[in-house]
Each structure stands twice: as C-alpha cells, then as structure tokens.
Amino acid sequence: MDLIRQIWTESGIYQISGGQIAMIAVCLLLLYLGIVKKFEPLLLVTIGFGGLLSNIPGVEIATGNGLLHLAYEVGIETGAFPLIIFMGVGALTDFGPLLANPKTLFLGAAAQFGIFATLLGALGLTQLGLMDFSLREAAAIGIIGGADGPTAIYVAGKLAPHLLGAIAVAAYSYMALVPLIQPPIMRLLTTEAERQIEMVQLREVSKVERVVFPLLLLLLVALLLPSAAPLLGMLCFGNLMRECGVVDRLSDTTQNALINIVTIFLGLAVGSKLGAEQFLDWSTLSILILGMVAFSIGTASGLLMGKLMNRLSSTPINPLIGAAGVSAVPMAARVANKVGLEANPQNILLMHAMGPNVAGVIGSAVAAGIMIMFAS
Amino acid sequence: MDLIRQIWTESGIYQISGGQIAMIAVCLLLLYLGIVKKFEPLLLVTIGFGGLLSNIPGVEIATGNGLLHLAYEVGIETGAFPLIIFMGVGALTDFGPLLANPKTLFLGAAAQFGIFATLLGALGLTQLGLMDFSLREAAAIGIIGGADGPTAIYVAGKLAPHLLGAIAVAAYSYMALVPLIQPPIMRLLTTEAERQIEMVQLREVSKVERVVFPLLLLLLVALLLPSAAPLLGMLCFGNLMRECGVVDRLSDTTQNALINIVTIFLGLAVGSKLGAEQFLDWSTLSILILGMVAFSIGTASGLLMGKLMNRLSSTPINPLIGAAGVSAVPMAARVANKVGLEANPQNILLMHAMGPNVAGVIGSAVAAGIMIMFAS
Amino acid sequence: MDLIRQIWTESGIYQISGGQIAMIAVCLLLLYLGIVKKFEPLLLVTIGFGGLLSNIPGVEIATGNGLLHLAYEVGIETGAFPLIIFMGVGALTDFGPLLANPKTLFLGAAAQFGIFATLLGALGLTQLGLMDFSLREAAAIGIIGGADGPTAIYVAGKLAPHLLGAIAVAAYSYMALVPLIQPPIMRLLTTEAERQIEMVQLREVSKVERVVFPLLLLLLVALLLPSAAPLLGMLCFGNLMRECGVVDRLSDTTQNALINIVTIFLGLAVGSKLGAEQFLDWSTLSILILGMVAFSIGTASGLLMGKLMNRLSSTPINPLIGAAGVSAVPMAARVANKVGLEANPQNILLMHAMGPNVAGVIGSAVAAGIMIMFAS
Amino acid sequence: METSLLDQGITLMLVGMGTVFVFLTVLVIGMSMMSAIAMRFMPGMTDVDATDEEIAAITAAIAQYRNHTKK
Amino acid sequence: METSLLDQGITLMLVGMGTVFVFLTVLVIGMSMMSAIAMRFMPGMTDVDATDEEIAAITAAIAQYRNHTKK
Amino acid sequence: METSLLDQGITLMLVGMGTVFVFLTVLVIGMSMMSAIAMRFMPGMTDVDATDEEIAAITAAIAQYRNHTKK
Ligand code: NA
Ligand code: NA
Ligand code: NA
C-alpha cells in the first residue's frame, strides 16, 4: 500500500502545478509553430521539446545532474555552443554578395538601431517603475533586435542567464515571424516606385577575395573591438574553412554533423530554461513585447537607411533590401525578395538582399561586443 | 642497467595477474562473438576492446585520467550516454506497427515479468545466503530481463555502478543469443496450430498519428510516472525529430554520426568496468545465470500473454509475436518471424512482431522508472 | 566620453604588443603554408587560426573560460584528443603492405633514431649552457623526430605542456616540409644504382590477418611496454573497427565526423598555446632547429638501415623506402616513390614504402611509451 | 517487525507489474482515441512511400557503393 | 551626481551605434581596398561553378534518395 | 656521484633504441607466425575487391558530386 501511495504522490498528476500546465501548453505551441507552420523548426522543435521535459514535475532533467542541465552548463554557461554554431554559420555562409557590394554593410549597420532602441525601451520601463531591469538585463534584451539566435544566446548567457529562456524564445519566435512582421512595415515606409527599383547585377567575386575576407574581418575585430572577437572569430574561422578549399572535410563536418549535434543540445539546453517558475514572470511578457518592438525598429531603420543610400548612391538601391539588415538569415532576404516581386515581377532582389542580410550578422556581433564590454 | 630493470618491472609480463589473463580471454571471446558470430557487434566489439585495454597491467587507461575512465565519468555516471543512445533509438524506430495495432502493447507489458521475476530471484539467492545482493543491486540485475542495452546501463549506472560491467555484458550477450535462447521456449509453449496462425494485414498509419504519438507518450509519462521521463523523454524526442519532417538534418545526424560516436565511447566506457578485480567475482556468475533466467521468463510470459490474447481477441493473434515483447530490437521480431515461417511458409509475422518489439522498449523503460523510484 | 575612452583603451590598437604582432605574422605564415602551399592544411589552418585568435589582446579566448582554453583542458591536458585522432588514424590505415612484408618494420624502427638523437641534442645544448632543458623537456622535443602529430602532442601534453605550441608547430611544419627536406638526404646517402632497385610485388593479405593484426599488436604492447598502450591501443581499436567488417557504421563515423570534429578542436587548442609570451622564446627557436635535425637524422638512419637490409636480404630492397620510416604518412611514402621514379621510370615504390611508413607510426608510439615511462 | 528483503521484492514485483500494465493500458486507450480523432478529422493523410524504380535502383547502387568503400 | 540608468542607456545607444557604423565603415574601406588589390594583381581567379548536366542529374537523384530514406 | 643529464640521455638513447628494435622484432616474429598460421589453416580468404564497372562509375559520379557540393 505504501508503494502504491508513493507512486501516486510521485506521479505527475499529483505534483503538477498550474504553471507547469501553462508552460506545457506554451511548449506545445512552440512545437506547433515549428512543425506545422515550419517556423525556424530546427530551434523551435528542440527548444519546445526541451521545455516540455523541463516541466515534468519531480524529476531531475533540467536541474542537478539531469542531461539538459548538464548541456546548459557545458555548452551555454561557457558560451561554447553559440560559438560553435557561429563557426557552423560561417561555414554555411556565402559572403560573395557582400564582397560584390560592400556598401550594403551600412544597411546591416543601420538595422542594429533596433538593438539599442530596445535597450533604451527596457530601461524606460524601469524608469517608469513598470519593470526592474538592470543595465545588463536591458542589454541582453536589446540583443533580440539583432535577429540572430546564437548571438542572443551568447550575450544572454553572459549578461543575464536567468532571462535566457525568454530571450531565446523571443529571438527565435520573431525570427520565425519575420514573414508576418516585416511586410507591413516595408509597405508603410517605402513608395511603390521605390519597391519597383531594379538593381544592377552583382559582379563576380574571386576566390582570393573570399579567402582573404574572413582574415581581414578578424584582423579588424582584433584591432578595433576585441570583445566581439569570440563571436566574429569563430564566424571567420568557419568561413575560412569553407572558402580556403584545402580543408573541405573539416568544413563539411562543421556544416553538417557538428552544427547538427550542437543544435540539438543547444535547443534542449535553452529548453531547460523554460521551467514554469523562471519563465512565467512579468519580465517574460515585457521581453516578448520589447523583442517585437526591437524587430520593428530594426526593420524600419534598415529601410530608412536604404532610402537614404538610394538617394546618395550613383547606382540604384532598392530600399527593401535594407529590411534584410536585421539578419534572420535567410528569411529576411527572402521576404525582401518577395515584397519586391509583388511590386515588379521582374525584380529579383534575393542576391542583393543577401549582402545586408549577412552584414546584419556581423553588425549584431559588433553590437554584442559593445554590450559585453560595457555591461559586464 | 637500472633502466632495463625498470622496463622489465613495468612490463606486462612481469606485472600481469592471473585474473587479467582470464579477463583478456573473456574479452577475446566477446570479440569473437561480435566479429565472427556477428552477435550485437556494435556493442560487443567496443565493450570487448575496452575490456582488453582495461586489463593491461600498470597503465592508466580505465582509471584516473585515462580516456576510458573519463568516458565513464562523463557519459555513464551522468547517464548522458544511454540517454543519447535512447534518443538515437527513437530516431531510428518506426512506431507504425504499434500505432496500427496498439493492443500489442500488452505483449510488451507481459514480457516485463522477466524483470521482476529476476529481481525476486536475486533476492531469493540472498535469502538463501548464497549471495548478498541489496534491493538496489537486485533491481539493477533484474533489468537485464528488459533485453534493452541502454536501459540496463542507465539503471545499473544509477543503482549499482559496481555491477555495471557484468550487467552490460550479460544484457548484450543474451540479446545476442536471442536466436538460440528463444526458439526452444517458443516451441515448448505454443502448439503447431498456434504457430501457423496468420494475422490480418496492418492498416496504414497517418503522418499525424506518427507525429502525435511521441508527444502523447511523453505526456502520459509526465502525468503518471515521471521517474521514467528521462529515458522515455529522449526516446520520444528522437522519434519526434524523425517523424515531424521539418528537422530531417537533425534526425539524420542523430541516427548516424551522433549515435555512432556515443556508441563507441559507451562501449569503451562499459569496457572500463571489465577490470579483473571487479568482474571476476561470484556475483558476476550469478548475474550471468540470473540474466539467462530473466530472458527465458520474459520470453515465456510474452508467449503466454499472446496465447491469452489470441483466445480473447476477435482477430487472430499468433502467440509467437509475444516473445518479441522482450525488446532485443529487431532480433526478437526476426526470431518470431522465423519460427512462424517454419510452421507455415505463408506466415510473414515480421511487421506484426515489430509492434510488441518496440512495446517492449517502452515497457522496460517504464519498469526502469519504477525500479529507480523505489530502489533509490 | 568615458565610454569612448573605454572603447579606445580596450581596443586592439591600444593594447597590442609587439610580440602579438609578430605572432600574428607567424600565424598568417602558417595559414599561407596550409592554404596556398597545401602543406598539412588540416592542422596548419586550424592551428594557425587558433594562434591568431590567441593573440588578440585583452579578450578571453585562449585563457580562462575561453573556448580554446576549454578545448585545451578537455582535450589535450587529458590526452583525449590525440588518442581519438589515433583511433581515427587506425580506422584510416591499411596495414596490408606491412602485413605483406613485415621486415619493413625494421626500417620504421631505425628511423626512430632521430627521436633519441634529438633528445641527446637538446641535453647537449643544456650541457653547453646554451639552453636549459630538463630531461622531460628534451624527451618531448625529441619526439618531433617521430614525424607524427598526435604522438608529439600527446607526449608534449604529458611531459612539457608549456612547450606544446612550439613542438606541435615544429612537428606539423616539418611533416609539411618532408618533400623539401628528404630528397637531398636521400640522394646524398644512396647510389643511383640503389635508387633504381625494383622490388617484387607484394603478396595479397587475407582478411584474417588484417583482423588479427591489431589484436596481436595490442597484446604485444600489453605484455612488453604497457606505457605505449594508450596510443597504440587506440590505433589498434580504430584499425580493428575498420577491418572486422561488422561495425562499418562506427568505422565510417570514426574516419569522418569524429576525426574531423576532434581535428578542428585539437588545432584550435594547440593554437591556444601560440600566445606571444609563451611562443616567442629562445626555446622555441632551439625546438625548431632541433626538430629539423631530428627529421634529417631520422631520414638518414632509415635510409642506412635500408641499405643494410638490401645487402642482407635475399629479395632486393630499395633503400629509399627506409626514408618513409619517419612516418609523416602518407607524404614520406610519396616522396620515396617520387625519388625512385626519377632514377627509374618503371619503379613504383609507393606500396612498398607504405610498409615502413605505417611502421614508423608504431615505432614512434613505442618510443613515446619509453619516453613517458622514464621521463615521468 | 521488519519486512524481509524478499517480502519487499514480492511487493515491488506486484506493484511494478501492475504499474507497467496500468501505464500501457492507458497508453493503448490514448493511442486508440488519438488515432480515432486523427482518422476522423484528418483523413487521407496516410504515408505515401514513393518508390519509383529509378530511386530504388540508385538506392541499391549507392548501398553497394557504400558497402564497397567502407570496407 | 549619479547618472540615471536611462542616461547611461542613451550614452550606450549613441556610442554603440557610433561604434557599429565606424567598424562597418572601416570594414567597407578594407574590403574595397582588398578587392581592388586582388583584382589588380590576381585577375581571372573568379569562381567557376562547374555544373555539367550529368552531375546535376546525379545530384537530384541523390537528393531524392536522401529525402526518401531520411524520413 | 650524480650522473650528468647527458649521461642519462645517452643511456635513454641506448635503452630506447634497443627497446624499439626488440619490440618491433618481436612484432615481426609474431606477424610472420600469425600469417603462416592464417595462410595454412584458412587459405583462400584473401580480400576480393569487387569492382564492377557500374560501381566504379557511380563512385566517380558521387565523388565528383561531393567535391562539387562541398566547396
Ligand atoms: Na543582426
Ligand atoms: Na524490454
Ligand atoms: Na614515426
């Protein structure tokens, strides 16, 4: 009889809290978005399932010596997982469009305004007494505006680990929602005529430029902003392996087995931060709202910079590609392409938008370096 | 001269013990079974070689900072390796046959009687004064009857790490010997007429069912038996990645590079527990005998449940598929198919036997959860 | 204003030291050798880039909790990475040519004289008061003569971790320079007639011999020289997985995903030892010079042994294949083949040179075992 | 009075097998309900295993190739 | 007098955006110079993406195969 | 009297080279015996490298494909 009572008192039905039920619903929603809506499935499926596991009552999975907590300690507290993902992103990224048209880096720069505006928003909420975010927390929240998952996780892990779950969920959710969030802003801030602008075809980029680019970027980071060196250094390393042509087997593994393995454990580890006590908090709600604001401001400032550059430049620039400066690779570039096609069926912007798109990755990492330097 | 003497006193010839020679012979036998007889080669080759390394005298491999001991600490003490293997098993498993015929879960349930009978047997030996097994040790030994390698290693690592080598060797050896152990029991407990029974073809299973199944199983575990959640949760995660269709690259890596890497180090780490002092003990002999008993009882109870279900069910059920309920995927299902074919050359039981076969994996994990809950 | 000053004082331009600039140049040279000259690119690219990252001022990458330092602690201090690479080398190595002609093991033995001569050279420099190497340090430097990267890293990690960067760079650089270093020595020490010698075709080797060989080697190591067992044991394990034919999926992963992942992190971790303070030292210069001497002596002693065996043997032996005994697989064998072809266009030595080439790997690991035994 | 180890074992066996059966029974019920719902509301979503001959041929060739090269 | 949190935020925003722009401007200049040098001294080294039809066909077949088996 | 470092080195060299040669000599003997036994009792088990042209063609195609895509 004692044993049966023990089974009962240790069962989920007996122990489960309302918060855990709510979080299970949230995680099933993330899984729904990933599986049925196909929004950022690699991360939403792994984070969502990790979150489910973390809300099973009375068992050590996301705590103590549980597998998810170990993955968190090994991979996120040390920063190793986001850095390895960044290496994989480097190995997967073609910087050719950026090399063909370096000016698009300014679009990637402008879109980072979303990051700093959101930082300010979070501090504003604190000033108003609505929330109580420290500078470190505000900086970690702002980075959602970078629209770059590993960067957000890396910064949150360093500056505000207790908010990591909410920040990662916000970052990936909004990256997933890019096709819904961006088009209205794009239509609002650009004229039909601007959206119809066709751009001149990109020049071919030589192998030498491709190989030298990651080394050039690394040297500039080393000289100007060492605090961004871990993130950008791993990005450059992955890209050098990709482009140098002599270590294809390493590049291949980095793009496949390695990034996949790390993605699985990164997702589960982030999911371990979706425990009910941690996640169901007013700060999560503010983070979700601020993240949305960050995305919108980033998109808008990228677009406005695009309009400005179009005026100043000798060759025509379609401002829509400025919206791709928020990163969210490659979704934001695809959205720019799609909205451009609606205005002008001859208008293939995809490759042009890839320039600001990858520039946004670099821009966010630079912003992350500044945040880490000042806020820590 | 001193140096030459040092070489001599540190040589294996000088230092080796009789126990180590015996264990080297045991490990060569495991390698022979794996390589020549092709019995569970993935584990018997890695465990066998790990065992060889562990019995080299006077060198730090399976102890201290040696690679095998590090693998043991990192992967087995934490439970990480068996859980990752379970994720891989989930990604490799097709639950379609079980979804097409859920009743076969009862066959997987019945076969778990082998586990509890063996637990009782181990305690009986203690009662008789022949051995001195605690409840925890008896529970860890019983799980051999689950015929599921990672489950056995996970439970032994938690409840009786000092017996892990013997338990793992027993589990994999008997899984390897399924084609020899099961047929006589099957012929003894079923009539020729029963073995000839043909079963109706399985219905097709929809993608929705396949995707929802791992989530349903996880929710039931969460509500009813959280202590089984780590094992079954990882199984469900792997299976969801397989079936959801949007993270094929993760599923692919889980089924290949990841499970292979972990298998190598799991095998070596288990091998590190085959040191002579630990393994050459009366308890190992009892564990080997009890493991054999566990397998036989599990097979028998699965068969008897099959006979019962055949009587009660409207559609015919060939009792042979009950023997597949012990797990040992997919060997036990193949054995059921083979014995069925001998009685009736038209009788293709393979897919029907896959249902109880994977049900046995779930059943063993549930039993493991109960063991861990009570015995720890 | 404070913030801008902080950016300035934390920038690389402000903080960088002359030593760091010099090391960045050295690392760019390593990258040049790897990428443009295609010298040992797998290691020179990863080590070179790791070295670049390690010389970025004021940021935690190669120290503390930085990713490269973690890789060093996890993989090199424990010896795990070189051992896993050795497992991969075993899985990639065909011992067929050695099995067909076991006598070529003597060539692999003779070439190890480079190791011990260099050890003596390092101690000689100390005796002369030019340097101050301890016996452990001298042993670690000597192993460069083994021309085997993972062995050198393993031994240096155990005996002289502070010299690891210089030793690894020297080992891989000279392995890369084999096509330049060896031919003059080969032409100096052999006559035209000797270089023209054609060898009889190798016999076919049976699968049984291939499977038994790694077990035989392991048993001999266990009995005679257990201190070499970690290195040779992992080599044998990888080779057994390759040859046994029943664990192809493990062998496949070992040869690809696993060795590639470990190579990436091994390279980065070695690169973390290229910090300016550590590397820019007179000892590095002596190590580079001694390493060159080691290579040359190893090549010469292999050649001389080849000449001796040619005299004593009934079947003709081309002394050039003795130079392949230094390891540097497969480059040294290709060089022997090329120099042989120059003397006699019908003379295909490649497969004959693979025997001493892989024998050199075994020989170096044996020498490493002796070093570790005595010097630690 | 202390319960003997064997008594504990017997209790554990009864409760354990009971739990296994209860759990799997609930799972059978859950699966049956889920399948009924799925088939009712989302019919026609059964798996189609596209196996045109061409793919089969290439599959076989690749399998042969892999077995061959893996060695 | 203590600077308020909001003031710190504003400063960080200004300095941060400034740094981002300065850094990316320097990068634009560096890339342009690098490209100019590369095109001047090493012309004709543009990428050639060899895509004969045969490879394309096999690629497609393998992709189909992989999608098919991965499931 | 303390042995000098150099003396230690010389001893280590002699003993080391000796051990290398002894070990590899024993290995040569072991391998020869093993091969003799294997060839005597299990003749005809030499490797057969099945290389029908079809596989070779596909191998080449796949290698080309991989080189092409890896980039
Ligand atoms: Na961004
Ligand atoms: Na089972
Ligand atoms: Na060597």
Side-chain angles (χ1 to χ4, degrees), chain C residues 106 135 207 209-210 305, chain F residues 8 19 21 25 35 45 47:
Chain C
F106 293 121
L135 189 64
K207 185 166 188 303
E209 290 170 271
R210 290 173 185 276
M305 180 55 115
Chain F
Q8 283 183 44
T19 310
F21 267 100
T25 305
S35 289
M45 286 193 66
D47 266 345

Side-chain angles (χ1 to χ4, degrees), chain A residues 41-43 45-46 256-257 259-265, chain B residues 87 91 237 241-242 246-256 258, chain E residues 70:
Chain A
L42 297 180
L43 269 298
V45 169
T46 50
N256 291 290
I259 197 172
N260 289 343
I261 291 171
V262 173
T263 299
I264 290 170
F265 290 105
Chain B
M87 177 169 77
F237 180 50
M241 288 198 287
R242 170 197 176 88
V246 292
V247 294
D248 284 349
R249 56 180 295 160
L250 302 186
S251 167
D252 207 35
T253 294
T254 307
Q255 293 177 32
N256 291 291
L258 182 53
Chain E
K70 240 187 275 174

Side-chain angles (χ1 to χ4, degrees), chain A:
Chain A
M1 284 310 94
D2 279 1
L3 285 191
I4 292 175
R5 189 177 310 131
Q6 188 183 350
I7 291 185
W8 170 241
T9 58
E10 297 198 7
S11 78
I13 300 175
Y14 180 88
Q15 293 184 83
I16 203 161
S17 68
Q20 287 171 322
I21 293 171
M23 282 312 296
I24 287 174
V26 168
C27 293
L28 289 175
L29 174 67
L30 294 179
L31 289 173
Y32 173 82
L33 292 176
I35 294 172
V36 180
K37 294 289 175 188
K38 300 188 171 36
F39 287 166
E40 293 282 331
L42 297 180
L43 269 298
L44 289 192
V45 169
T46 50
I47 293 176
F49 204 94
L52 281 184
L53 290 176
S54 310
N55 285 286
I56 296 177
V59 65
E60 199 174 67
I61 296 175
T63 56
N65 275 319
L67 182 61
L68 270 53
H69 185 66
L70 292 178
Y72 181 82
E73 283 188 335
V74 168
I76 310 239
E77 275 187 7
T78 66
F81 284 173
L83 291 177
I84 296 170
I85 299 269
F86 238 56
M87 177 170 77
V89 169
L92 285 161
T93 298
D94 175 9
F95 282 108
L98 191 64
L99 281 159
N101 194 3
K103 282 180 306 185
T104 54
L105 275 168
F106 294 121
L107 298 169
Q112 308 316 317
F113 188 65
I115 292 178
F116 295 101
T118 308
L119 163 90
L120 218 60
L123 295 177
L125 290 181
T126 302
Q127 197 84 341
L128 293 174
L130 292 174
M131 296 300 307
D132 185 27
F133 290 125
S134 69
L135 189 64
R136 291 167 70 97
E137 291 169 333
I141 295 167
I143 210 75
I144 299 172
D148 194 88
T151 302
I153 292 170
Y154 184 78
V155 172
K158 287 227 175 293
L159 298 184
H162 54 292
L163 301 180
L164 190 138
I167 288 172
V169 166
Y172 283 106
S173 300
Y174 293 131
M175 282 163 66
L177 295 174
V178 152
L180 304 180
I181 297 175
Q182 289 199 322
I185 304 173
M186 294 161 95
R187 293 200 194 93
L188 184 70
L189 292 179
T190 56
T191 65
E192 178 78 13
E194 283 172 330
R195 294 199 291 280
Q196 288 174 343
I197 296 174
E198 292 182 28
M199 294 179 66
V200 293
Q201 215 201 318
L202 292 173
R203 73 169 175 91
E204 286 202 339
V205 173
S206 70
K207 185 166 190 300
V208 174
E209 290 170 270
R210 289 173 186 276
V211 173
V212 174
F213 173 71
L215 295 170
L216 176 70
L217 177 53
L218 179 73
L219 289 181
L220 288 183
V221 172
L223 291 179
L224 300 180
L225 195 66
S227 58
L231 276 170
L232 283 174
M234 294 309 283
L235 185 82
C236 292
F237 180 50
N239 193 246
L240 182 67
M241 289 198 287
R242 169 198 177 87
E243 299 292 357
C244 73
V246 292
V247 295
D248 284 350
R249 55 180 295 159
L250 302 186
S251 167
D252 206 37
T253 294
T254 306
Q255 292 177 34
N256 291 290
L258 181 53
I259 197 172
N260 289 343
I261 291 171
V262 173
T263 299
I264 290 170
F265 290 105
L266 176 82
L268 291 178
V270 169
S272 80
K273 289 290 176 178
L274 300 193
E277 330 74 56
Q278 255 186 309
F279 196 86
L280 294 177
D281 191 284
W282 286 114
S283 65
T284 298
L285 194 62
S286 342
I287 288 169
L288 289 173
I289 294 170
L290 287 165
M292 173 68 97
V293 171
F295 253 67
S296 306
I297 295 180
T299 301
S301 48
L303 287 166
L304 294 174
M305 180 54 114
K307 286 163 80 93
L308 179 66
M309 284 176 66
N310 185 35
R311 299 254 173 93
L312 301 180
S313 164
S314 53
T315 54
I317 289 176
N318 189 316
L320 290 177
I321 68 169
V326 293
S327 322
V329 184
M331 191 58 86
R334 282 193 207 147
V335 169
N337 187 56
K338 189 157 161 279
V339 176
L341 277 176
E342 285 169 12
N344 171 359
Q346 316 298 328
N347 201 358
I348 309 293
L349 292 175
L350 188 61
M351 288 315 285
H352 299 285
M354 286 309 296
N357 212 191
V358 299
V361 176
I362 298 174
S364 301
V366 170
I370 297 164
M371 298 292 203
I372 290 170
M373 185 199 282
F374 288 126
S376 65

Side-chain angles (χ1 to χ4, degrees), chain B residues 96-108 202-203 209 309 355-356 359, chain D residues 24 27-33 35:
Chain B
L98 191 64
L99 281 158
N101 194 5
K103 280 179 309 184
T104 53
L105 275 168
F106 293 121
L107 299 169
L202 292 174
R203 72 169 175 90
E209 289 170 270
M309 284 176 67
Chain D
L24 294 190
L27 183 58
V28 170
I29 297 169
M31 284 167 69
S32 304
M33 285 171 55
S35 288

Side-chain angles (χ1 to χ4, degrees), chain B residues 279-346:
Chain B
F279 196 86
L280 294 178
D281 191 284
W282 286 114
S283 65
T284 298
L285 194 62
S286 342
I287 288 169
L288 289 172
I289 294 169
L290 287 165
M292 172 68 98
V293 171
F295 253 66
S296 306
I297 295 180
T299 302
S301 48
L303 286 165
L304 295 173
M305 180 55 113
K307 288 164 78 94
L308 178 67
M309 284 176 67
N310 185 35
R311 298 252 173 96
L312 301 179
S313 163
S314 53
T315 54
I317 289 175
N318 189 317
L320 290 178
I321 69 169
V326 291
S327 324
V329 184
M331 192 58 87
R334 283 194 204 145
V335 168
N337 187 57
K338 187 158 162 279
V339 176
L341 276 176
E342 284 168 12
N344 172 359
Q346 317 298 328

